[in-house]
Amino acid sequence: MKLIAGSSNNPLAEAISAYLDIPLTQANIKRFSDDEIFVEIMENVRGEDAFFIQSTSHPANDHLMELLIAMDALRRGSARRITAVIPYFGYARQDRKTGSRAPITAKLVANLITAAGADRVLTMELHAGQIQGFFDIPVDNLIVAPVFIPHLQDNLNGDDLCIVSPDVGGVVRARALAKRMGADLAIIDKRREKAGVSEVMHVIGEVKGKKCIMVDDIVDSGGTLCNAAGALKENGAKEVHAYVVHGVLSGKAIERITASPLEKMVITDSIAATEAIKKAHNIEQVSIAPLIGEAARRIHEERSISALFK
Ligand code: R5P
């Protein structure tokens, strides 16, 4: 088994390597003066079960291209099996045609990864589970519950918990967590009554006097979570917390979140934390390295992954 790190998230790759007690295989990743990317695997991988770890996070196109080139290098280096380990799968939000001549870029990215040489994909909390079907190779889409539930139980136990989906699209994820935690469920329904009039947030469910915990797959600009946190407070929530898998946190997201009524937002390290994230008083990062490492080991040993979630 060989582990190779792309340049998107070295701390996570190091942590997976420490969990598995397998050193990272050296790779030479560099850019030419015109920004073309070059990846060379510096150790023999002939006949090996190779895992290349790369989130397609910001800068998404560079990290994606690096992943594709690494797949090609591993294939030409005669690796026996190549797994693209993509803790954060970018472009996942472009998973359907949103207009007459719009692309489905998540499908295009799946095609590219497969054509480049991946034999399988290991990822986490895809924006939409159906994206697994965009690939014609096996995809293991890990769920975050084994990481978030112990953290929730250690920090926010009690009978006044309410799990909240910050939008209608996240109800399945929120309902699953509420069921596992034995907590109530609420949903925020955003509506724009008329064009040009700002959105109204309807809170469906009882949140008054409750500790509300929003769950989402992605926090990007922070708009969804911060607006939802405001609506929950207006509806009498005692505290508002958030658990989000992928901290994309672009633009002014961190300022927005630190100034919001969110007591705490817990994110994973699927995307490497910037200094600003590390300094933010109400953002905490928890690691998915043991979960990804364990899943990789089970893939290597041809053992069940679903057993991790029972
Ligand atoms: C949307 O469907 C996703 O689940 C997230 O709610 C969304 O991507 C968050 O984006 P932002 O933080 O920019 O509101």
Side-chain angles (χ1 to χ4, degrees):
M1 182 176 184
K2 294 278 184 190
L3 295 178
I4 308 110
S7 63
S8 67
N9 195 341
N10 218 50
L12 177 64
E14 295 278 0
I16 295 171
S17 148
Y19 175 84
L20 290 170
D21 199 17
I22 296 173
L24 291 171
T25 295
Q26 290 307 306
N28 177 19
I29 302 174
K30 63 181 185 187
R31 277 173 178 58
F32 293 115
S33 54
D34 61 353
D35 269 346
E36 281 186 4
I37 297 169
F38 175 80
V39 181
E40 185 176 6
I41 313 298
M42 302 308 284
E43 295 171 37
N44 180 29
V45 290
R46 195 174 287 273
E48 296 282 0
D49 194 8
F51 292 78
F52 187 80
I53 305 163
Q54 177 82 317
S55 281
T56 49
S57 51
H58 175 79
N61 300 330
D62 283 3
H63 287 151
L64 173 62
M65 196 64 201
E66 196 181 293
L67 171 68
L68 300 176
I69 295 171
M71 298 289 99
D72 191 67
L74 286 165
R75 183 169 56 171
R76 291 175 197 281
S78 304
R80 177 174 50 83
R81 181 170 65 176
I82 303 165
T83 301
V85 182
I86 313 174
Y88 169 66
F89 183 86
Y91 282 110
R93 286 173 285 180
Q94 296 185 42
D95 59 354
R96 61 196 171 282
K97 277 185 79 171
T98 51
S100 305
R101 286 158 297 281
I104 305 180
T105 314
K107 169 64 178 155
L108 170 66
V109 170
N111 287 347
L112 290 171
I113 292 169
T114 310
D119 295 301
R120 50 189 310 135
V121 171
L122 171 58
T123 187
M124 176 133 206
E125 294 279 359
L126 284 168
H127 176 63
Q130 301 90 303
I131 294 170
Q132 290 168 86
F134 291 0
F135 290 90
D136 283 327
I137 53 175
V139 177
D140 291 301
N141 179 28
L142 305 180
I143 57 167
V144 77
V147 178
F148 279 171
I149 289 180
H151 190 282
L152 259 167
Q153 286 168 335
D154 289 347
N155 295 283
L156 286 167
N157 237 334
D159 51 12
D160 55 353
L161 293 189
C162 181
I163 307 293
V164 181
S165 175
D167 57 29
V168 174
V171 175
V172 173
R173 182 177 292 106
R175 193 192 296 124
L177 187 64
K179 194 171 163 202
R180 279 174 176 241
M181 294 290 296
D184 290 346
L185 175 70
I187 299 160
I188 296 188
D189 174 38
K190 284 182 290 193
R191 292 241 180 110
R192 200 181 295 279
E193 308 287 353
K194 269 195 244 153
V197 176
S198 65
E199 278 180 339
V200 185
M201 319 273 284
H202 298 284
V203 179
I204 305 169
E206 187 53 64
V207 297
K208 197 166 181 193
K210 298 268 175 76
K211 276 188 206 155
C212 290
I213 298 153
M214 290 190 279
V215 286
D216 211 345
D217 61 329
I218 294 171
V219 51
D220 187 350
S221 68
T224 303
L225 280 187
C226 294
N227 293 339
L232 291 170
K233 277 287 190 185
E234 278 166 26
N235 280 265
K238 186 161 70 180
E239 290 173 18
V240 185
H241 303 253
Y243 281 72
V244 187
V245 187
H246 306 294
V248 174
L249 297 169
S250 63
K252 295 214 175 297
I254 296 166
E255 286 102 304
R256 202 170 279 142
I257 284 155
T258 48
S260 77
L262 279 170
E263 305 273 332
K264 173 77 68 79
M265 179 177 79
V266 178
I267 56 174
T268 77
D269 55 355
S270 66
I271 297 175
T274 58
E275 283 309 308
I277 294 176
K278 289 182 195 158
K279 284 189 194 137
H281 74 276
N282 60 352
I283 304 181
E284 180 184 340
Q285 207 182 35
V286 292
S287 187
I288 54 170
L291 186 57
I292 300 249
E294 190 54 38
R297 175 157 42 213
R298 284 166 181 260
I299 289 170
H300 178 62
E301 294 173 354
E302 313 282 357
R303 287 163 59 211
S304 164
I305 287 188
S306 64
L308 287 175
F309 305 109
K310 291 203 171 120

